[in-house]
Amino acid sequence: MDRDRFNRFCRGLTATSHVVQWGGADVWKVGGKVFAVAGWSDRAYAGISFKVTPLSFEILQEQPGLRPAPYLASRGMSWIQHYQPDGLSTSDLEAYLERSHALVAAGLSKKKQRELGLLVD
């Protein structure tokens, strides 16, 4: 997944915001909380990090092209980094990014979810 596709996909999710920080990384948030980070440093392939459930973390960290996300996973959080092309297919990566968005959004207060159009009464 290239930078344009990553940013276009994340922009298409409900109530997202984008900042560039941490040395030029594209950081996507929902309700002010990070759900995806893509670093486009000097590596040949981007490191795309996203939140997962604890079960998915246990499974995905053992897969080729995937690893516990640097910094985030070392702090006890269930975050995975897709860092090599032999990792997830583009469609699977997009599904995990969408799920990360949903996981982070679910952690927001109900009031905040309503304000952002994430929760319909």
Side-chain angles (χ1 to χ4, degrees), residues 20-40:
V20 176
Q21 59 189 73
W22 303 321
D26 287 298
V27 179
W28 284 90
K29 301 178 182 185
V30 58
K33 305 288 184 182
V34 176
F35 74 89
V37 178
W40 311 98

Side-chain angles (χ1 to χ4, degrees), residues 16-89:
T16 60
S17 61
H18 174 252
V19 295
V20 176
Q21 59 189 73
W22 303 321
D26 287 298
V27 179
W28 284 90
K29 301 178 182 185
V30 58
K33 305 288 184 182
V34 176
F35 74 89
V37 178
W40 311 98
S41 64
D42 56 359
R43 292 190 315 253
Y45 196 78
I48 299 176
S49 300
F50 48 92
K51 184 180 179 91
V52 294
T53 65
L55 179 58
S56 291
F57 181 82
E58 292 304 317
I59 295 167
L60 292 173
Q61 70 177 331
E62 302 297 329
Q63 302 304 308
L66 304 175
R67 64 182 173 199
Y71 182 78
L72 296 164
S74 67
R75 306 287 185 281
M77 295 182 250
S78 296
W79 279 70
I80 289 291
Q81 184 177 70
H82 179 269
Y83 72 101
Q84 290 182 337
D86 63 343
L88 300 167
S89 68

Side-chain angles (χ1 to χ4, degrees), residues 76-111:
M77 295 182 250
S78 296
W79 279 70
I80 289 291
Q81 184 177 70
H82 179 269
Y83 72 101
Q84 290 182 337
D86 63 343
L88 300 167
S89 68
T90 299
S91 61
D92 285 344
L93 180 55
E94 288 175 345
Y96 276 107
L97 290 170
E98 189 170 12
R99 181 69 179 137
S100 179
H101 175 271
L103 288 167
V104 172
L108 300 172
S109 70
K110 297 297 181 198
K111 179 181 178 188

